[in-house]
């Protein structure tokens, strides 16, 4: 039965996080966190697992940042406008969750389309906003009134650098700091004028983060991993720290010593280094600086957060190091390696300063408890995921279970499958894969699933903590797969063919062919008798599952169908596609074609009762449509996502709707008016709680439980035994303590009695002293009273005289005030009379001039009529003359009017002077009142002065003594000054020869530096030689070790052979058994003595060859050195020697290649003989052994011949070496003879 309104849904839980927004998470209270997700602002209570939502006016409008006011009552959204429009800041009230105010740029000439940064002042009354490029203007809003109080240019005066952040002072609303790459400005506003003050030379510093550490200290971090401090507008050169290494920050002002380059922290890792210094370790930028009353924190490194605790107002010490746990990486990747997605974007702290919350580029919130274990106990404390582990890419598939309150999702980017429980709002199972996942479908029982991977389609069993593959199907890139309603069949798309399999026998029941485009959706009827499919070519096919035949079709080539749904009896199909219309299909025809929201529709879902229809389309909207469809669609549209919705699913009881989106967000909707629409469930219906577990895992868990229970019982027994021992020991200790306590009590009692006796004696003595002192005080008091009575009388007389003086002054001032008032009244009266007389005179003159002008005008008219009959020349002359005269008259008239205006102005100024005089009178009256107040204060001062007189008398005497002592010291200092001046003159005479010695020492230092350079060069050459010798030594050691290992293996094999031969002696009486044992021994070792001897001889020959080769190389090197020394020798001989040397080198290289080939052949022969199974298996080696042993003598002869050839080559090389040496000697003798001959000629 139908209803008159479409179903209503309301969002219950929304999983997601927008990582493209700055400052995207804040604590409202200890339990409530506010963050943007999808098209809403979510207020999440993580303790009660409840959410509230602030829906944005335009969810598709990009947001740059979200800022929370310090009083946590207002939320500001920095929205980016389109090209040509002004940027907007929207402020929401967090008590009513409604929009409170909209702020924008008030000037028309602004061309910026966004605010680069915004921030509330500490009292939350003002908001500071800076526009982006190209303006870079700072606006100071009184946001509650919606007006700009002041504005200024925010960029550097030079025009370089950009602005990324603005931070307001924690105690002064008029003071801000503006930072960004190569930008640092401290700005102060006074009477709407912004002024810069303090240090601002940041043209070479890439500033990444900034905060106010205190009201007079600013701390900022750079991209090179350094932290700097600006205090009272000055950069502290001795407070520059390495953010990754520093463990203590002391900001107390210290007089920097000359030449000091570094300020040591507790790790001695950072000091006053330059901003461009080279650091050996990798530098990570310092980001997300945040301050709180107990300390501060910042992010630096691969997922690290450093937290410092405040010890004193000038000292902070590193307390903890937090990092995103590698255990949480199992939700995101197979191998736990740091990823740029884990870079920390924002840090916030709860109001009680107990919890620290961070966000990264993943759609996940992480938190950690502050002030837990110290870093000395736990060097790295791991962050914990807040809420369920989310996908971090688009969710491409969704499937709902019938028996359990769970649904399954798959991630396109993170290649993971997750099972969610919509009753407990948590993730029950996560599994990551290496292959791409295209689709998932959950069996109605929740115990099985089919997953379409890029290489195969897999049928899986859902275990308690894993997915186990049960069957694989050769379907690549399966985009759509779905279980039937009852679960005994499932359909999978293979290209353009739909394959239907049995869930029990896994047989391919049907292959449904007919689509010639991409198949986009599959839908089963309630009884699994009908399967409906649609494709991108515009076709909707209906298949009979009892015969596998196509029983219905609708083809609409102008539309690409994206999804379809079929009712329970399989007679009516609903389809949606790219044309944005709902199509009701039945009996191979389109019955209704209704437009909906004006854009393409993506998915469609029909409830089990056939009374609720849900459709998604556009940018994240979910639409509930009234059924049955009428001529015009009646629907309600609901918005939570801001990206395309990829899938929707309805729970088995038609009470919960799940939607997933491309932005990895998941929304759980509650149906609010589902009564009468939802299907009636059985009274005994309850969700299944059973799970599957493998027998091996179950046995392991049972064994672990038994082991732990046994261990528990052992621990209980041990604990009871230890408890009894402890009780006995404590009883003995208690007895000893009690005895000691009783003895101490007795001793204290004796001491108490003794002290009481002493106390009574002392009280008597004190009373006697008090009586004496009392009598003395009374006498001194009487003397003081008499003295002070005399002083009071004298002071009273002075007071009376001062009072008479003040009375006379009062009368004098009153008389002067009256005289001034009277003189002002007379002056005002005279000025008024004078100006009134002047005005009357001017009025008379003006009237006379007007009469004269009228008379002249009449005369002009008469003259004009009489002259009209005259000639043209006379008319022109007269006209010009009178025009000139008229102009003069007009000028005079204008001049007179100007004079009257001046007189009026003078009159106005006179009135102003009158007002000023009145104001002066009022000021004098105010001064009179002030004088009266001064008189009263003077009276009070008189009393104070009386007290001070007595005090100053004593201080005057002390100061006179001090002056006398200072004069005496001054005389001594003058004497000392004369002696010092004499010494200074002597020291100046001694400085000159020492300066000469300093110059000589500098010259010696330069010479020594040159010698040091030469020694360094020689040292470098020696180090090269040493490295070459070390390399040769290591190669020799390797050869030695190889030979030693080989010798050891041969000894072990020989020992084994001896043992086996000793065991064979038991079979000497049985020939057959002896034969078998000999064969077994031969097959075991497969080696004869002659062949081993031949191999030993060959190895010795090779070693001899290597030794000779090394000797020859040394000789060649020596010859090279001799040739380099003989510079004046004959070029032809040198060329010949070089050619011979090249031939020798080529022969050596040939010998090396031949040696390598012989080694490979030897290794192959070992393989043939069964010594190695690398090239030929042992069975083939045993087969060839017989053939090899037959030709053993021939093989020995062949190898002996090769050894002789090698020896001949070695002999030839020796002869050649001797020949070269003799030639070199001849060259040397010839050179020496030539030198002697030249020497004789010279003589």
């Amino acid at each position: 039965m139908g209803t008159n309104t479409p179903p209503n849904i309301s969002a219950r839980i929304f999983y997601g996080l927008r990582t493209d927004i700055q400052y995207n998470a804040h604590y409202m209270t200890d339990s409530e966190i506010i963050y943007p997700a999808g098209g809403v602002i979510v207020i999440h209570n993580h303790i009660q697992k409840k959410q509230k939502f602030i829906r944005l006016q335009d969810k598709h409008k990009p947001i740059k940042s979200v800022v929370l006011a310090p009083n946590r009552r207002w939320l500001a959204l920095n929205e980016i406008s389109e090209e040509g429009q002004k940027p907007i800041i929207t402020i929401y009230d967090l008590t009513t969750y409604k929009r409170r105010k909209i702020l924008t740029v008030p000037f028309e000439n602004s061309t910026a389309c966004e605010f680069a940064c915004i921030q509330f002042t500490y009292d939350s009354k003002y908001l500071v906003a800076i526009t982006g490029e190209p303006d870079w203007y700072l606006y100071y809003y009184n946001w509650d009134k919606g007006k700009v109080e002041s504005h200024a240019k925010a960029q550097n005066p030079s025009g370089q650098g950009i602005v990324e952040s603005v931070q307001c002072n924690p105690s002064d609303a008029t003071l801000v700091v503006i930072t960004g790459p190569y930008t640092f400005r401290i700005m102060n506003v006074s009477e709407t004028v912004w002024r810069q003050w303090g240090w601002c030379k940041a043209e070479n510093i890439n500033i990444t983060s900034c905060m106010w550490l205190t009201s007079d200290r600013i701390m900022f971090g750079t991209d090179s991993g350094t932290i700097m401090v600006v205090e009272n507008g000055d950069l502290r050169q001795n407070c520059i720290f390495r953010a990754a290494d520093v463990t203590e920050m002391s900001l107390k002002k210290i007089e920097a010593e000359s030449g000091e380059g570094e300020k040591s922290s507790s790790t001695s890792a950072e000091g006053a280094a330059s901003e461009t210094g080279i650091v050996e370790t990798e530098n990570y930028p310092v980001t997300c600086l945040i301050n709180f009353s107990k300390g501060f924190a910042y992010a630096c490194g691969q997922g690290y957060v450093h937290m410092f605790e405040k010890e004193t107002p000038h000292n902070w010490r590193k307390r903890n190091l937090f990092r995103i746990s590698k255990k949480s990486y199992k939700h995101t990747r197979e191998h736990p390696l740091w990823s740029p997605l884990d870079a920390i974007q924002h840090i916030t702290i709860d109001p009680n300063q107990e919890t620290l919350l961070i966000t990264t580029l993943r759609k996940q919130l992480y938190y950690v408890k502050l002030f837990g274990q110290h870093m000395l106990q736990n060097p790295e404390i791991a962050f914990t995921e807040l809420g369920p582990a989310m996908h971090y890419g688009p969710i491409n598939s969704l499937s709902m279970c019938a028996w359990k309150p769970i649904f399954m999702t798959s991630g396109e980017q993170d290649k993971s499958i997750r099972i969610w429980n919509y009753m407990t709002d948590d993730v029950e199972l996560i599994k990551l894969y290496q292959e791409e996942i295209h689709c998932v479908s959950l069996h109605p029982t929740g115990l099985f699933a089919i997953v379409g991977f890029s290489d195969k389609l897999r049928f899986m069993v859902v275990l308690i903590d894993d997915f186990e593959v049960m069957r694989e199907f050769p379907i690549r890139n399966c985009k759509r797969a779905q279980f039937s309603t009852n679960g005994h069949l499932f359909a999978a798309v293979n290209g353009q063919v739909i394959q239907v399999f049995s869930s029990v026998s896994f047989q391919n029941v049907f292959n449904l062919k007919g689509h010639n485009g991409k198949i986009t959706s599959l839908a089963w009827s309630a009884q699994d008798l009908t399967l409906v499919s649609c494709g991108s070519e515009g076709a909707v096919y209906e298949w009979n599952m009892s015969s596998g035949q196509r029983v219905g079709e609708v083809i609409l080539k102008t539309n690409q169908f994206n999804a379809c749904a079929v009712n329970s009896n399989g007679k009516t199909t609903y389809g949606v596609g790219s044309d944005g219309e709902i199509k009701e299909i039945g009996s191979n025809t389109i019955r209704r074609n209704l437009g909906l929201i004006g854009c393409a529709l993506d998915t469609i879902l029909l409830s089990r009762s056939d009374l609720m229809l849900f459709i998604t389309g556009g940018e994240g909207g979910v639409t509930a449509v009234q059924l049955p469809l009428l001529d015009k669609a009646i629907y309600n549209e609901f918005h939570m996502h801001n990206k395309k919705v990829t899938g929707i699913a309805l729970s088995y009881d038609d009470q919960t709707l799940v939607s997933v989106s491309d932005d990895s967000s998941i929304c759980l909707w509650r149906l609010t008016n589902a009564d009468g629409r939802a299907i009636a469930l059985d009274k005994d219906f309850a969700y299944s709680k059973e799970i599957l577990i493998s027998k091996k895992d179950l046995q392991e868990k049972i064994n672990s439980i038994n082991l732990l229970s046994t261990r528990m019982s052992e621990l209980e027994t041990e604990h009871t035994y230890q408890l009894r021992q402890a009780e006995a020991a404590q009883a003995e200790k208690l007895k000893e303590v009690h005895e000691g306590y009783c003895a101490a009590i007795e001793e204290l009692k004796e001491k108490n009695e003794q002290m009481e006796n002493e106390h009574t004696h002392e009280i008597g003595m004190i009373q006697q002293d008090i009586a004496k002192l009392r009598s003395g005080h009374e006498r001194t008091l009487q003397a003081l009273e008499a003295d002070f009575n005399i002083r009071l009388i004298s002071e009273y007389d002075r007071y009376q005289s001062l009072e008479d003086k003040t009375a006379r002054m009062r009368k004098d001032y009153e008389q002067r005030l009256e005289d001034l008032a009277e003189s002002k009244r007379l002056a005002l009266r005279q000025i008024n009379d004078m100006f009134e007389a002047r005005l009357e005179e001017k009025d008379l003159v003006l009237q006379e001039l007007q009469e004269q002008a009228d008379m002249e005008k009449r005369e002009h008219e008469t003259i004009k009529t009489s002259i009209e009959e005259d000639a043209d020349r006379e008319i022109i002359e007269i006209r010009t003359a009178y025009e000139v005269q008229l102009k003069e008259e007009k000028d005079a008239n204008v001049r007179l009017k100007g004079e009257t205006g001046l007189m009026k102005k003078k009159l106005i100024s006179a009135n102003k002077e009158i007002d000023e005089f009145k104001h002066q009178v009022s000021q004098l009256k105010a001064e009179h009142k002030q004088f009266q107040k001064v008189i009263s204060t003077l009276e009070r001062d008189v009393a104070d002065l009386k007290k001070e007189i007595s005090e100053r008398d004593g201080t005057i005497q002390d100061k006179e003594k001090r002056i006398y002592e200072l004069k005496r010291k001054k005389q001594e200092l003058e004497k000392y000054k004369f002696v010092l001046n004499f010494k200074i003159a002597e020291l100046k005479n001694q400085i000159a020869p020492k300066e000469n010695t300093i110059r000589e020492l500098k010259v010696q230092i330069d010479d020594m530096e040159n010698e040091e350079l030469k020694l360094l060069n020689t040292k470098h050459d020696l180090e090269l030689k040493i490295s070459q010798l070390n390399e040769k030594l290591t190669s020799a050691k390797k050869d030695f070790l190889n030979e030693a290992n080989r010798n050891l293996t041969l000894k072990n094999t020989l020992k084994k052979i001896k043992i086996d031969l000793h065991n064979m002696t038991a079979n000497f009486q049985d020939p057959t058994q002896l034969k078998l044992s000999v064969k077994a021994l031969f097959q075991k070792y497969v080696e004869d003595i002659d062949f081993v001897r031949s191999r030993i001889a060959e190895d010795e020959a090779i070693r001899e060859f290597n030794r000779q080769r090394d000797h020859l190389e040394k000789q060649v090197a020596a010859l090279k050195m001799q040739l380099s020394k003989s510079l004046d020798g004959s070029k032809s001989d040198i060329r010949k020697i070089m050619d011979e040397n090249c031939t020798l080198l080529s022969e050596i290289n040939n010998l090396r290649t031949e040696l390598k080939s012989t080694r490979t052949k030897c290794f192959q022969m070992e393989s043939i003989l069964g010594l190695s199974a690398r090239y030929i298996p042992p069975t083939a080696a045993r087969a060839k052994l017989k053939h090899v042993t037959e030709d053993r003598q021939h093989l020995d002869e062949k190898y002996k011949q090769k050894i002789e050839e090698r020896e001949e080559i070695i002999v030839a090389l020796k002869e050649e070496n001797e020949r070269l040496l003799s030639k070199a000697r001849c060259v040397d003798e010839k050179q020496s003879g030539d030198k002697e001959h030249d020497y004789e000629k010279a003589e």
Side-chain angles (χ1 to χ4, degrees), residues 1026-1041:
I1026 288 165
S1027 62
Q1028 292 175 359
L1029 292 171
N1030 285 330
E1031 288 176 358
K1032 290 183 178 180
L1033 182 62
T1034 51
S1035 62
K1037 284 182 179 179
K1038 286 180 182 178
D1039 294 337
F1040 175 74
L1041 290 172

Side-chain angles (χ1 to χ4, degrees), residues 1136-1147:
K1136 287 179 183 178
I1137 291 168
M1138 290 296 292
D1139 293 338
E1140 290 172 356
N1141 195 5
C1142 290
T1143 55
L1144 280 172
L1145 289 172
S1146 62
E1147 288 177 1

Side-chain angles (χ1 to χ4, degrees), residues 545-577:
M545 285 294 99
S546 58
S547 62
Q549 298 297 319
R550 187 167 62 196
V551 295
E553 65 177 23
V554 169
I555 299 174
L556 190 64
K557 293 185 178 180
T558 59
N559 177 41
Q560 294 181 1
F561 281 100
N562 293 327
C564 62
V566 62
N567 64 357
S568 56
N569 58 15
K571 293 182 179 179
T572 303
T573 303
Y574 300 94
V576 293

Side-chain angles (χ1 to χ4, degrees), residues 262-279:
E262 291 186 351
K263 176 187 177 297
S264 300
S265 63
S266 62
T267 57
S268 301
E270 180 51 43
S274 65
E275 295 112 10
T276 59
I278 299 171
V279 184

